[in-house]
Amino acid sequence: MTTEAKLHVYDVLARAFIQEGVRTCFTLMGDANMNWAARLAQQGCRMVYVRHEHCAVAAAMAYARKTSEVGVATVTCGPGVTQLITALPAAVRAHLPMVVFAGEAPIKMGWYNQGIDQAPIITATGAAYHPLHLPERMPVAIRDAFLQARRERRPVVIGVPFDLQERPWVGPETLPTPSSQLLPRLSPIPPHPDDVAKAAQLVASAERVVVFAGLGAVEAKAGPACQALAARIGGLLTTTLPARGLFHDDLYCIGISGSFSTEVGLEYLAQADLVIVVGGSLAFHAGGGGQLWRKAKMLHIDIDPVAVNQGQEVARHHLRADARLGVEALTAALPARTKTWRTEAMAARIRDTKPDSHVFEIEPGFLDPRDVVEGLEKTLPADWELVNSSGHCSWFFAQMPSRPQERFLTIREFGAIGNGISFGMGVAAARPDRPVVLFDGDGSLIMHVQELETIKRHRMNILIIVINDGAYGSEVHKLRSEGLPEDGSVFGYCDLAAIARGFGVEGKIVKRLEDLPKLVEEFAKSSGAAVWDFHVSDKVVSPTIRRAHPAKYAKA
Ligand SMILES: Cc1ncc(C[n+]2csc(CCOP(=O)(O)OP(=O)(O)O)c2C)c(N)n1
Ligand SMILES: [Mg+2]
């Protein structure tokens, strides 16, 4: 490297990222990262230049989930870093490997207006922070950051003072061995035969078994093995919200387990006497806070099985193994069974019952969000990527039973609104070959609506479906349920279609669901972006809210 004239530290740091295989970087520039970012772009990395740092990290999260690569973003020092405090905890909780290149204030100066102690801000989110202050060692530290991000499955932020970045490079001539060559190449962990025998005994003595898969099952490609196990024991299948769609083609899949369960799903879960959790962390919401299967024993099949998680006892029976190998070994060890819970009538009920059949009185001129989702489920092509956001409306979007897991993205472990548009961008960057459909609430979209400009500029093919109830629906329904005033949660229906057009993106208020086939056909030809604003009634209350307020919704 020293043979080239005037190589700066930032040149070499950009090369170190390219050598790590980085091909996409979500970027917002400032003094402390712009030289590095410019060099990264020159060396062939696709840069997605966003309008808010939060969105750079949130988009990188969705990119990491979709590609199984390390998500990469960059921000400047000080105010660039402080903008990340909502996105990073979300990435930590979703176990997403990421590297964020952050600038730091110049260290040669006694004072700098954007200076702030960045390490405690970042580490408070659960992400790792590494200040890099020795130029010669920086390429190795970058490589190690990628190794750490992959191994610990969390974001690693590296902070490089920008005066150091601008120094001439005087370090080694070659870059270190990239992380891809050092990563341990490990085979899936097989189960111990004693654990398999115990688990088989437990399963053999149960009559109503639900096989419940999480993202670990998706990653281990354990879907077909879970289906085979459920078929063998005549049981049912369910998934966590992020793994939804893993069994979309199975007649005995009752959909999502947890806050987003369907009516029929809840009924069957309550009857279960054994739940076999495969590759899931047994998060609080996934089991409805322990309320969904009160009678059931729990068997946890995972590479890291747990007894207690997120404040509750979750499983007393454990099988440590790769999800697929564990399930296959268990199935093979089961004795032949005569009794089965499954019946054809059950399959018909699962297929024919609406996720939520409660009847609401709706004011004329407004739509029922459930009808909007049903209409889109029927008309959106099967190979389009779908992204679920947050808020009250996300319950409805989650109910699209025909959609396979690999075409659906949900990241909501930190419960923050406002991420949908960034997640849509991350998926669009990961899957540029097909349209992305983002389902969002009006409040969530408005929180980072500036990214419509990014979407337009980068020519992303994203269709944004807004379930617009003119409100923070979650808050309205909770306030109403508790008999409190609605002030501060109801805003009215602002014209999101006009806002979209202001950013140069197509915008429509969609009033008639009969128009959907024609609209979808037109969008398919457009290759651009659009916002479709569906004005829905705020009288439709999701089952989650109704269950939380049984006194008010006793009959629901
Ligand atoms: C960053 C953040 N701020 C506030 C909240 C509290 N909150 C949860 S849902 C919600 C309303 C979201 O409104 P919208 O996107 O319109 O969806 P809706 O609930 O109306 O369907 C709010 C404010 C949150 N979860 N995250
Ligand atoms: Mg709303």
Side-chain angles (χ1 to χ4, degrees):
M1 282 185 286
T2 46
T3 51
E4 289 172 49
K6 286 191 192 141
L7 212 51
H8 291 89
V9 171
Y10 55 70
D11 291 301
V12 179
L13 302 192
R15 285 183 185 185
F17 271 72
I18 295 286
Q19 196 189 234
E20 280 300 320
V22 176
R23 297 292 173 264
T24 302
C25 178
F26 299 91
T27 306
L28 202 154
M29 291 196 281
D31 284 339
N33 67 337
M34 55 195 281
N35 295 40
W36 173 84
R39 285 293 189 250
L40 192 69
Q42 276 180 339
Q43 290 175 35
C45 179
R46 171 180 47 168
M47 309 298 273
V48 180
Y49 298 108
V50 301
R51 294 304 201 118
H52 192 297
E53 288 86 351
H54 167 92
C55 301
V57 168
M61 286 167 62
Y63 185 84
R65 170 64 60 77
K66 270 287 157 184
T67 58
S68 303
E69 291 169 18
V70 176
V72 173
T74 182
V75 300
T76 193
C77 63
V81 167
T82 54
Q83 302 270 43
L84 306 185
I85 304 316
T86 304
L88 286 174
V92 169
R93 288 166 200 219
H95 303 291
L96 291 166
M98 299 179 51
V99 172
V100 179
F101 182 95
E104 270 190 5
I107 50 173
K108 69 181 176 200
M109 293 164 73
W111 174 86
Y112 185 71
N113 66 337
Q114 294 183 334
I116 191 166
D117 188 3
Q118 296 184 173
I121 295 171
I122 298 298
T123 54
T125 68
Y129 187 78
H130 299 302
L132 309 192
H133 291 181
L134 181 65
E136 303 89 287
R137 208 182 167 280
M138 285 178 191
V140 173
I142 287 169
R143 190 273 317 278
D144 291 352
F146 277 84
L147 278 173
Q148 184 182 12
R150 283 207 179 90
R151 176 159 188 263
E152 298 176 11
R153 301 184 62 143
R154 63 174 174 142
V156 178
V157 180
I158 53 177
V160 191
F162 71 88
D163 54 344
L164 293 186
Q165 294 181 43
E166 287 163 9
R167 284 189 183 178
W169 177 251
V170 291
E173 291 201 7
T174 51
L175 290 172
T177 308
S179 65
S180 56
Q181 289 179 28
L182 296 181
L183 278 172
R185 296 189 202 296
L186 304 171
S187 306
I189 302 173
H192 192 284
D194 292 354
D195 295 350
V196 175
K198 266 191 267 167
Q201 227 174 7
L202 180 73
V203 177
S205 65
E207 291 182 358
R208 296 177 169 213
V209 185
V210 177
V211 179
F212 177 16
L215 275 184
V218 175
E219 276 180 30
K221 302 193 176 11
C226 291
Q227 286 177 279
L229 170 63
R232 177 84 187 270
I233 54 184
L236 300 178
L237 289 148
T238 184
T239 68
T240 58
L241 175 63
R244 63 148 303 294
L246 183 60
F247 309 124
H248 74 285
D249 54 358
D250 195 297
L251 294 175
Y252 292 94
C253 175
I254 53 172
I256 300 160
S257 166
S259 310
F260 289 67
S261 290
T262 64
E263 250 168 48
V264 169
L266 285 175
E267 200 184 304
Y268 290 137
L269 285 170
Q271 295 171 19
D273 62 0
L274 176 67
V275 176
I276 306 175
V277 183
V278 183
S281 64
L282 281 162
F284 184 89
H285 285 108
Q291 301 303 302
L292 294 189
W293 45 69
R294 292 180 198 210
K295 292 190 226 152
K297 291 180 180 168
M298 302 288 292
L299 166 63
H300 192 194
I301 304 180
D302 200 284
I303 44 173
D304 183 19
V306 292
V308 170
N309 191 23
Q310 299 185 347
Q312 1 164 51
E313 193 187 312
V314 287
R316 293 220 175 153
H317 307 274
H318 304 101
L319 179 60
R320 187 187 54 208
D322 163 76
R324 183 176 60 81
L325 296 185
V327 171
E328 284 173 353
L330 175 61
T331 309
L334 288 173
R337 178 181 271 265
T338 43
K339 275 199 212 153
T340 167
W341 188 15
R342 290 182 171 188
T343 61
E344 278 177 21
M346 250 170 143
R349 233 182 125 220
I350 293 167
R351 187 191 61 224
D352 298 335
T353 316
K354 288 193 181 253
D356 173 33
S357 62
H358 193 78
V359 178
F360 296 95
E361 291 227 347
I362 291 182
E363 330 75 294
F366 291 94
L367 296 164
D368 185 322
R370 298 171 298 183
D371 296 341
V372 176
V373 173
E374 204 180 312
L376 288 163
E377 160 85 323
K378 284 186 192 140
T379 44
L380 291 173
D383 61 342
W384 290 13
E385 293 285 338
L386 310 189
V387 177
N388 193 345
S389 184
S390 49
H392 179 254
C393 53
S394 60
W395 195 96
F396 308 114
F397 304 143
Q399 312 299 331
M400 298 181 82
S402 75
R403 305 289 158 161
Q405 198 279 334
E406 63 272 19
R407 295 268 172 270
F408 208 98
L409 176 129
T410 306
I411 305 173
R412 40 182 300 152
E413 286 81 351
F414 192 42
I417 66 164
N419 289 326
I421 196 161
S422 310
F423 292 163
M425 294 193 299
V427 175
R431 297 270 190 278
D433 54 324
R434 62 193 62 191
V436 175
V437 185
L438 162 66
F439 297 89
D440 212 351
D442 50 318
S444 178
L445 180 67
I446 286 171
M447 194 169 269
H448 280 298
V449 75
Q450 78 282 344
E451 298 305 327
L452 286 176
E453 192 281 323
T454 308
I455 288 173
K456 164 77 185 166
R457 185 167 27 83
H458 282 281
R459 297 197 179 91
M460 290 178 169
N461 191 196
I462 304 183
L463 171 60
I464 301 179
I465 305 291
V466 192
I467 292 291
N468 185 355
D469 59 355
Y472 284 159
S474 287
E475 281 62 31
V476 174
H477 296 300
K478 288 172 197 165
L479 291 166
R480 279 185 195 157
S481 302
E482 289 168 27
L484 292 165
E486 296 172 7
D487 305 359
S489 62
V490 179
F491 304 100
Y493 292 79
C494 79
D495 191 346
L496 293 168
I499 290 173
R501 289 195 293 272
F503 282 106
V505 167
E506 199 193 313
K508 274 192 178 54
I509 299 179
V510 182
K511 296 193 170 157
R512 291 158 29 98
L513 297 180
E514 309 87 88
D515 295 339
L516 282 177
K518 189 172 70 78
L519 292 174
V520 168
E521 203 180 311
E522 280 167 16
F523 181 81
K525 286 185 206 140
S526 78
S527 79
V531 171
W532 292 357
D533 186 6
F534 293 85
H535 290 196
V536 303
S537 167
D538 73 358
K539 300 288 179 293
V540 181
V541 186
S542 70
T544 311
I545 297 271
R546 286 168 10 225
R547 283 207 299 275
H549 299 278
K552 177 152 171 104
Y553 302 104
K555 288 192 221 106

